[in-house]
Amino acid sequence: MNTYTPPDPVHRGHAHDVDLEDTFDFLNTDDTENGFPVDKLPTLDDALAWFVDRGVIHVEGADRVRAQVSNHDPLMERDLARVHAVRSALREVSLSIAEKRSPDAGALETINRALHARQVIELVPGPDGCYVDHRHVGDPVDDALARLADPLVMELTAGHPERVKVCASDTCQWIFYDGSRTSRRRWCDMATCGNRAKAARHRARERAAVQAGDVGDAASDAASESPAV
Ligand SMILES: [Zn+2]
């Protein structure tokens, strides 16, 4: 039986494993509910807590930022504006990938600036090899944003950018990665947006059939509809 357990993160240095799902979760925090915009990260404190939760910032780093901005509103607003700017730039660039068009130049510049602000990575020796470490010299917020931008770069470099998609629901617009076998997923989540769209189609068809005075055919049509992927 294979009982190998990977070394715990503390002894591996600071790998901060972030994947594309974290990136998309981040940009989907700029959300809409029932067609109205809802920001899930309305304050810098919310953003820092989210970064700590996803492992892109250390608790100490978040505390350092909190100490810097406490009683200093302009600094706090500057940091929050930076988080929101990179988030919407990531959304615009992801959208451009999904829609196979050129991205907004400003958005690209914002992401590239974020990538440059990444903290320095170094190799450090370990008892059984080498590990990746980074020096904590930069700004923790800049570094968190760079880490969240990284997976998108990796996807474009060596992944499947054609699987980056935007939810087909007008009221959702979530960005998601289509990991389905056929790569034909249209909704971020079949259980919510997919079902809503299917139910709306069903209702529209029934309404049309009632107007045409032909309910029987509509019912059999709806029943024969194949389940969406
Ligand atoms: Zn959706």
Side-chain angles (χ1 to χ4, degrees):
M1 196 170 92
N2 188 350
T3 54
Y4 171 76
T5 9
D8 75 78
V10 174
H11 296 106
R12 271 191 294 135
H14 298 102
H16 288 290
D17 291 327
V18 182
D19 59 27
L20 196 59
E21 207 170 314
D22 294 306
T23 305
F24 289 166
D25 284 351
F26 173 55
L27 54 90
N28 289 333
T29 58
D30 182 12
D31 206 357
T32 55
E33 270 167 23
N34 304 316
F36 294 100
V38 177
D39 193 341
K40 300 279 169 66
L41 303 177
T43 69
L44 183 63
D45 206 47
D46 292 324
L48 291 172
W50 195 92
F51 291 162
V52 169
D53 184 56
R54 296 304 172 107
V56 291
I57 206 169
H58 290 292
V59 176
E60 310 83 68
D63 287 345
R64 184 146 58 94
V65 175
R66 282 191 185 100
Q68 275 166 2
V69 303
S70 69
N71 302 319
H72 210 313
D73 286 351
L75 266 185
M76 202 258 302
E77 279 160 23
R78 187 206 61 186
D79 278 355
L80 181 63
R82 210 155 32 142
V83 170
H84 286 169
V86 172
R87 183 178 62 175
S88 46
L90 278 171
R91 167 171 287 277
E92 159 58 14
V93 169
S94 301
L95 262 179
S96 79
I97 295 168
E99 294 171 348
K100 297 181 174 56
R101 59 170 172 82
S102 192
D104 175 78
L108 211 54
E109 203 179 300
T110 300
I111 292 185
N112 284 336
R113 228 183 1 239
L115 289 170
H116 291 161
R118 201 183 207 294
Q119 283 176 342
V120 179
I121 291 176
E122 288 184 332
L123 291 181
V124 292
D128 52 352
C130 268
Y131 300 98
V132 177
D133 200 352
H134 63 258
R135 280 179 281 154
H136 291 252
V137 290
D139 180 291
V141 172
D142 275 344
D143 192 57
L145 293 170
R147 285 176 198 288
L148 286 164
D150 268 351
L152 198 59
V153 178
M154 290 311 295
E155 202 59 36
L156 285 166
T157 314
H160 294 277
E162 74 282 0
R163 286 180 176 270
V164 173
K165 295 192 178 167
V166 55
C167 181
S169 161
D170 289 339
T171 54
C172 174
Q173 299 280 299
W174 269 31
I175 305 286
F176 67 94
Y177 183 83
D178 181 359
S180 70
R181 192 177 48 82
T182 54
S183 184
R184 288 172 64 187
R185 226 176 99 191
R186 295 185 55 212
W187 295 284
C188 67
D189 178 19
M190 197 54 222
T192 53
C193 290
N195 268 339
R196 252 199 310 272
K198 209 170 130 185
R201 273 205 310 277
H202 187 133
R203 278 195 302 275
R205 212 172 300 173
E206 271 189 338
R207 252 195 321 271
V210 168
Q211 274 161 11
D214 189 10
V215 181
D217 275 4
S220 65
D221 264 13
S224 67
E225 184 181 339
S226 60
V229 183

